[in-house]
Amino acid sequence: MPAYSHTVGTTTYRFADLKALLAKAAPLRAGDVLAGIAAHSAEERVAAQMAVADLPLKTFLNEAVVSYEQDDITRLIIDGHDAKAFAPIAHLTVGDLRNWLLGYEVQADTLTAIAPGLTPEMVAAVSKIMRIQDMVLVASKARVVTRFRNTLGLPGRLANRLQPNHPTDDMQGIAASILDGLLYGCGDAVIGINPATDNLAQVIKLNHLLANVIEKYAIPTQSCILTHVSTTMQAMQQGAPVDLVFQSIGGTEATNRSFGVTTAMLAEADAMARSLKRSTVIDAAASNVMYFETGQGSALSANAHHGVDQQTIEARAYGLARRFAPLLVNSVVGFIGPEYLNGREIIRAGIEDHFCGKLLGLPMGVDVCYTNHADADQDDMDTLLTLLGNAGVNYIMGVPGADDIMLNYQSTSFHDALYLRQLLGLKPAPEFAAWLESMGILSMDNQLLPAPAGHRLLGLMEP
C-alpha cells in the first residue's frame, strides 16, 4: 500500500496507508483517542486533512481501508460500485469534490444521480475537510424519498418516530405514550417500540398491539418492534403482522458478527418482509421494509475496527444499509457513551452522519441523544436538533418528555418535533398530515390543535 505525506512548515508528516491518513484527518473524537489512532496534535491533523484534500477520488477504488478478502462489507462496496454514476466526478480530488458539492448548480437531482458512484470512504473523507455549515448546506440539497404506508423525505416535511418504550412492556403504558405522541402530531416515520426483552411471544404480542392501533384508527404509518432480526424472522414465520424489520448494523463484517447478524441474514429478512406485502403506498412487494440503526464507536467496542477511525467505519455501515433500500436509517450517535463522544463531538458527529448517509442515498434520521453519564446536556441537543432541521433530516425521535424510561437515555420529545416544524415551517408526511387534519389534531395551516374532551383517540386507553 502507498504511504502518504504532507509538509507543514519544516515538518513532514507521514501516514502509513489510507486508513491511517483518514484517522489522522478526523476531527478529534474520544473513541479514536481511545483506539490510539487519532492525530497527536492539531498540526498533524491539519497536515492529514490537506493530504486528504489532494487525494484523487479514484484512490478509494484502488485501496481498501479494510481488506477485501477479510470483509464482506468491503466486497459489497467495491463490487457494487456504479462506474457510470461515478464518471461525472471521477476526475476530482477530495478537495475538488467538496467545492463541487457546494456549487449552486449541484442540487437534489445531481446528488441522487451520483450517489451510487460514491463509496462510504469517499464521503467520509470529504466530510473530514468540511465545516459544519458546509455539511448542513450540502445535506439540505439532498433528498431521499421512501414509502410504506406514507411518503417520507419530501421537501418541506419532517417526520418523527414515535417511541413509546416501557421498562416492562406494559400495554397500558405503551398505549398512553402512543396517545400522547399522536396528539402532538408524531409517529409518521414509524411507531417503533424497543421491547424490554427479545422474548418471541412478547414481540409477537407487541406487533399485534401496534397493528391493531394502526388498523383501528386508519393511521397512515408503519410499525416496528426493534428486536433482533432473527426474532423478527421467527415472528413473521408465526404469522405476526410485521411492517418493518429492524437491525443494528456496523461498518465491518466482524462488527456485525458481534451483533449476531450477517449480510445473508439481512437479505433473507428483507425478502420475507416484502413477501408479506403490507405496504399500501406503492407496489407492496417493491416498498421499503428495512429499518437500520447505526452508531459511531460500535466497531471499537467489538474490537472490530481494523484500525479505522470511527466515523469512516460508520459511513461503511451506510454502504451496507443502502444494499437493502431501507425505509429508515438513523444514527444513534450520542447513545454509545462518553468513551466515544462528548457533547461537543456529538454535535459534529451527528451532522457528519446525516451528511454521509444522505450523500450515499439513504433516508437519514438522527436520534439526537446522549447517555446520562456523558458530558452533554439539553443545550447540546437543541443545537444539533436545529442544525439537523436546517440540513433536511428525514426524521427525528419522539420520546415522552425526551427521557426514555426503558433505555435510560435522553433523546428528543414530541415537543421538540413541534418546535422544529414550527421554526422551519415543516409538515408531517402528506398522508399522515391529512389524517391529523381529519382527526382534528392539526389545522389546515399546520397548527397543532388542542384535543377536545372525548376525542376518539382516547379509546387507545381502553382495556
Side-chain angles (χ1 to χ4, degrees), residues 2 93 161 194 228 325 357 398 433 448:
T93 64
R161 171 190 159 189
N194 296 90
H228 192 273
L448 195 69

Side-chain angles (χ1 to χ4, degrees), residues 328-402:
L328 306 166
V329 178
N330 75 275
S331 165
V332 194
V333 66
F335 185 72
I336 197 164
E339 300 82 7
Y340 305 90
L341 299 144
N342 62 33
R344 179 179 179 182
E345 292 166 1
I346 288 170
I347 293 171
R348 179 174 172 99
I351 298 301
E352 289 171 349
D353 293 351
H354 176 247
F355 165 83
C356 289
K358 274 288 191 68
L359 279 192
L360 291 169
L362 287 175
M364 288 302 295
V366 175
D367 190 345
V368 180
C369 65
Y370 62 99
T371 57
N372 289 316
H373 64 309
D375 181 15
D377 60 24
Q378 199 56 50
D379 286 342
D380 295 321
M381 298 303 100
D382 286 351
T383 299
L384 177 54
L385 176 67
T386 305
L387 288 167
L388 286 166
N390 283 280
V393 71
N394 277 31
Y395 70 104
I396 60 169
M397 306 299 116
V399 178

Side-chain angles (χ1 to χ4, degrees), residues 101-122:
L101 289 169
L102 290 166
Y104 288 110
E105 66 281 4
V106 174
Q107 297 297 326
D109 290 349
T110 305
L111 293 175
T112 299
I114 68 161
L118 292 170
T119 70
E121 291 84 357
M122 289 178 193

Side-chain angles (χ1 to χ4, degrees), residues 65-132:
V65 296
V66 182
S67 167
Y68 181 94
E69 292 73 23
Q70 295 178 352
D71 188 86
D72 67 350
I73 295 180
T74 299
R75 293 192 293 273
L76 184 152
I77 291 168
I78 298 300
D79 297 346
H81 182 253
D82 188 330
K84 184 177 180 180
F86 181 60
I89 56 171
H91 61 290
L92 300 180
T93 64
V94 174
D96 293 334
L97 177 62
R98 172 195 174 274
N99 296 337
W100 182 84
L101 289 169
L102 290 166
Y104 288 110
E105 66 281 4
V106 174
Q107 297 297 326
D109 290 349
T110 305
L111 293 175
T112 299
I114 68 161
L118 292 170
T119 70
E121 291 84 357
M122 289 178 193
V123 299
V126 76
S127 76
K128 295 178 194 302
I129 61 167
M130 297 177 83
R131 294 168 58 183
I132 284 179

